[in-house]
Amino acid sequence: MTGGARILVTGGAGYVGSHAVWALHDRGDEVVVYDSLRQGHRQALPPAVQLVRGELADEAALDRLLSNGPWDGVLHFAALSLVGESMQRPFHYLLENAGLGIRLIDACVRHGVKRFILSSTAALFGNPETMPITETTRIDPGSPYGESKLMIEQTLRWADRIHGLRYACLRYFNAAGADPDGRSGEDHHPETHLIPLVIDAALGLRPEIRVFGSDYPTPDGTCIRDYVHVADLAQAHLAAFDRLDQGSVTYNLGSGTGHSVLEVIRSVERVSGRPVPVRMEQRRPGDPAVLVADSARIRADTGWTPRFTELDDIVGTALRWRQAHPQGFGPNDPAA
């Protein structure tokens, strides 16, 4: 498909979801967003896109929406996503993410939806023994958050096998950056992602950045992660959606390049021209030294190629958005 599809996006007012909505809107698809606005923001969406405010737990509301078809597909972003919190509230995460995700898949099958894109995660791989991480790397979730996403992936396999629901499981690594045109950006409460935290420290919006561990087996002793620009992730969703003509797929999404915590800090300092106050602390339990994706499969299947390949360019888009929105999006319109 190259535009003109009718697509429902759950959690579409969130960080990655809103960038995917903009990408769909830009190519001419009709998009409806279903979002509780607990973490999402109406202001992150194109003004012309319809927002239906609701919870995935509201079966009646979801049925009413899906009955207003036909739908060419569903993109599912709505989820709890804090790994640390999932270790403290495991059953809450399993019920919210896996339970409600499975319920959504069931509703899609009942209403004749034929394509489903899952926002999955690299947290499925826990502490992998080899790098880079491919789609065939051993699955070993290190948290209830990762387990909850795996349960949805497994459900989708059965939904395809029994009901013909074609799916794409997109396992992304560290989403970063902001819309190059400044239309959406990162505004989490609380914020846990490294790049926006470092930017806030550079801008004086927080006192310092805490670096957890400086004795890892990496060149500078700090953890290495794969940062992929959120606009590139959005384009990957479109590419995967179109690829479903040929059957269900599972893809790892990353840049293929790792950057350490200290490299991210230095990048923010270069791009912003400001120093970043740093406090070194002990390692956090469970943090792998290196996580880098091998995205060769989606590149070969769809031709998808990240546009933002330099860390400074990724940081630059995030910095410009934060400078333009020092308070984030602000409060949501209660009538949205």
Side-chain angles (χ1 to χ4, degrees):
M1 294 184 180
T2 57
R6 188 164 186 260
I7 300 173
L8 176 64
V9 182
T10 70
Y15 175 44
V16 180
S18 65
H19 286 82
V21 169
W22 274 106
L24 292 165
H25 178 264
D26 287 345
R27 81 168 185 177
D29 292 317
E30 179 187 349
V31 185
V32 177
V33 171
Y34 188 71
D35 199 298
S36 67
L37 299 186
R38 279 186 285 170
Q39 287 290 327
H41 305 273
R42 178 65 181 95
Q43 303 91 319
L45 298 172
V49 164
Q50 180 186 0
L51 169 66
V52 178
R53 190 168 183 176
E55 300 279 352
L56 283 180
D58 190 338
E59 289 186 78
L62 199 54
D63 269 329
R64 285 195 300 272
L65 183 57
L66 285 169
S67 66
N68 183 25
W71 299 95
D72 294 300
V74 169
L75 273 61
H76 179 43
F77 294 94
L80 303 174
S81 60
L82 300 180
V83 172
E85 183 182 57
S86 79
M87 298 295 285
Q88 299 168 353
R89 307 180 67 192
F91 308 124
H92 181 58
Y93 265 68
L94 293 170
L95 287 168
E96 281 273 327
N97 288 355
L100 296 183
I102 292 168
R103 185 179 293 173
L104 173 64
I105 294 166
D106 173 57
C108 287
V109 169
R110 286 189 286 104
H111 290 283
V113 177
K114 296 301 182 185
R115 301 183 189 210
F116 191 103
I117 306 288
L118 172 65
S119 168
S120 193
T121 176
L124 269 64
F125 300 107
N127 289 279
E129 297 173 355
T130 59
M131 290 294 150
I133 300 170
T134 72
E135 288 81 2
T136 59
T137 296
R138 183 172 64 93
I139 299 295
D140 183 23
S143 67
Y145 166 66
E147 188 73 33
S148 72
K149 293 289 190 174
L150 177 60
M151 292 169 72
I152 303 175
E153 288 197 10
Q154 293 169 329
T155 301
L156 285 169
R157 283 193 284 273
W158 286 109
D160 184 358
R161 180 173 174 180
I162 296 172
H163 298 289
L165 176 63
R166 291 189 174 182
Y167 66 85
C169 296
L170 304 184
R171 300 165 174 171
Y172 24 97
F173 283 59
N174 289 58
D179 178 63
D181 296 321
R183 300 173 299 183
S184 188
E186 194 161 5
D187 184 11
H188 294 126
H189 301 281
E191 184 57 73
T192 60
H193 291 176
L194 179 62
I195 288 178
L197 289 174
V198 177
I199 287 173
D200 278 359
L203 297 179
L205 299 174
R206 62 183 299 113
E208 62 193 359
I209 188 71
R210 299 158 67 195
V211 176
F212 297 98
S214 59
D215 58 349
Y216 286 94
T218 61
D220 64 21
T222 63
C223 290
I224 291 175
R225 297 292 183 265
D226 186 334
Y227 296 93
V228 57
H229 196 280
V230 67
D232 288 326
L233 281 181
Q235 290 300 321
H237 285 74
L238 273 59
F241 186 87
D242 296 345
R243 174 62 172 72
L244 293 183
D245 285 339
Q246 302 173 55
S248 296
V249 293
T250 296
Y251 293 133
N252 288 355
L253 296 179
S255 68
T257 302
H259 296 284
S260 73
V261 174
L262 291 182
E263 286 176 330
V264 170
I265 292 170
R266 301 298 173 249
S267 176
V268 171
E269 290 181 329
R270 282 194 304 272
V271 175
S272 69
R274 302 186 184 194
V276 173
V278 172
R279 186 173 79 198
M280 305 302 296
E281 298 198 354
Q282 297 297 314
R283 293 187 187 188
R284 291 180 301 194
D287 274 349
V290 181
L291 291 176
V292 177
D294 182 339
S295 297
R297 180 182 290 182
I298 188 173
R299 292 174 187 246
D301 284 358
T302 71
W304 174 78
T305 301
R307 171 184 167 194
F308 294 88
T309 58
E310 299 296 328
L311 180 60
D312 283 8
D313 293 335
I314 295 174
V315 166
T317 62
L319 176 64
R320 288 191 295 274
W321 191 86
R322 189 60 167 162
Q323 287 174 321
H325 303 83
Q327 304 303 318
F329 287 104
N332 272 306
D333 179 356

